[in-house]
């Protein structure tokens, strides 16, 4: 069976304990939840951190705690920090890059979200890309719109990242790109034309999680994304018991397509990352 990188987005910036008590918000909870997801087959963890009131934080100290715990308990797992902007001071969004995670998310353009404009002005995008380059962090380019692919291309042309980024198509955010299969084909065709060496995955938000994974698997994606950041339920009537349950569901879905979860060392090779220290 061919390997696929299973990414788990453990927390995000939106869901709260009141929405699902399993959402991990403290560093200790995040480390434990990540370890459970790792044991279930995840080889990449996408990390947001929270303040005590559960609001989004950019505190490098919190990122450092989670990173240290994941490295100790999940050998080889790819650690990816969020530089996303919901509820965070733009000037602080790259403040944890000196911790040198393996990867960091990078949105290359602005987009409407349900209640805000997710602002990513060109100067900020370039600043974040430069910080990633300086600290040896591989970007995961978050694509909410066709123009964002070309934003990534401009970063390559400017020498701010190499021509083999990891790209994630985000589908199903209200007011942004709908979760429609033909749109994934459109986006994927443009990515292959503009950045032919990129690896890719796709994220479906909420009820779209499983169907977007299905489309990605059918098209030979390098990775899948699941986790409580994107979806807090396993069905209309039942909340997910944790990130591990969502990872197990993704692994079962991959198996139906003849794919298995990549081991951490395989995932690193697939994404062009160095072996874990």
């Amino acid at each position: 069976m061919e390997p696929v990188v299973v990414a788990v987005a453990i927390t995000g910036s939106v869901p709260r304990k009141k929405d699902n008590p399993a959402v991990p918000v403290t560093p200790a909870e995040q480390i434990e939840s990540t370890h459970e997801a790792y044991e279930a087959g995840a080889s990449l963890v996408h990390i947001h951190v929270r303040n005590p009131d559960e609001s989004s934080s950019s505190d490098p100290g919190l990122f450092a705690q989670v990173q240290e715990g994941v490295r100790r308990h999940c050998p080889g797992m790819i650690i990816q920090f969020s530089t996303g902007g919901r509820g965070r001071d733009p000037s602080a969004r790259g403040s944890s890059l000196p911790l040198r995670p393996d990867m960091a998310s990078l949105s290359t353009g602005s987009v409407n979200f349900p209640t805000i404009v997710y602002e990513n002005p060109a100067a900020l995008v370039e600043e974040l890309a430069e910080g990633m380059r300086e600290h040896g962090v591989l970007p995961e380019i978050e694509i909410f719109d066709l123009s964002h692919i070309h934003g990534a291309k401009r970063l390559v042309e400017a020498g701010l990242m190499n021509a083999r980024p990891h790209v994630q198509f985000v589908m199903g955010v209200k007011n942004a790109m709908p979760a429609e299969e033909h749109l994934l084909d459109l986006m994927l065709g443009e990515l292959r034309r503009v950045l032919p060496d990129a690896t890719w995955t796709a994220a479906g938000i909420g009820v779209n999680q499983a169907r977007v994974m299905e489309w990605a698997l059918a098209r030979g994606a390098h990775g899948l994304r699941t986790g409580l950041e994107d979806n807090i339920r396993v069905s209309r009537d039942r909340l997910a018991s944790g990130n591990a349950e969502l990872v197990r569901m993704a692994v079962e879905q991959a198996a139906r397509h003849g794919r298995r979860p990549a081991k951490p060392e395989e995932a690193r090779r697939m994404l062009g990352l160095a072996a874990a220290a």
Side-chain angles (χ1 to χ4, degrees), residues 173-239:
V173 175
K174 184 179 179 181
N175 301 328
M177 180 162 55
E180 296 185 12
E181 191 170 8
H182 73 281
L183 293 179
L184 179 59
D185 286 328
L186 186 155
M187 292 287 185
L188 188 55
E190 188 68 356
L191 178 69
R192 288 169 171 163
R193 187 183 74 84
V194 172
L195 292 171
D197 296 324
T199 55
W200 72 278
T201 185
I205 306 305
V207 297
N208 302 297
Q209 189 168 76
R211 74 168 65 106
V212 171
M213 280 195 286
E214 190 72 17
W215 302 338
L217 285 163
R219 289 157 178 78
H222 300 86
L224 301 176
R225 170 158 148 158
T226 189
L228 292 170
E229 171 174 352
D230 299 339
N231 172 37
I232 61 172
R233 297 182 174 277
V234 296
S235 70
R236 181 184 296 272
D237 302 320
R238 186 167 75 80
L239 295 171

Side-chain angles (χ1 to χ4, degrees), residues 40 56 69 101 132 152 178 189 198 262 271 276-277:
S56 294
M132 293 179 199
L271 301 185

Side-chain angles (χ1 to χ4, degrees), residues 31-95:
I31 294 162
E32 181 179 6
S33 187
T34 300
H35 181 249
E36 292 170 351
Y38 174 84
E39 293 290 325
S43 53
L44 186 158
V45 57
H46 176 71
I47 298 167
H48 291 246
V49 294
R50 301 283 187 91
N51 295 308
D53 66 356
E54 297 190 48
S55 61
S56 294
S57 175
S58 294
D59 184 352
L62 294 174
F63 278 105
Q65 287 181 56
V66 180
Q67 177 169 259
E68 194 276 332
V70 171
R71 284 179 173 167
R72 186 188 319 123
H73 295 289
C74 308
M77 192 176 203
I78 297 167
I79 294 174
Q80 181 188 101
F81 288 171
S82 172
T83 68
R86 242 186 291 204
R88 298 171 69 182
D89 178 352
S91 67
R93 282 167 51 182
S95 61

Side-chain angles (χ1 to χ4, degrees), residues 75-77 102 268 273-277:
M77 192 176 203
D102 300 295
R268 287 176 174 275
L273 290 165

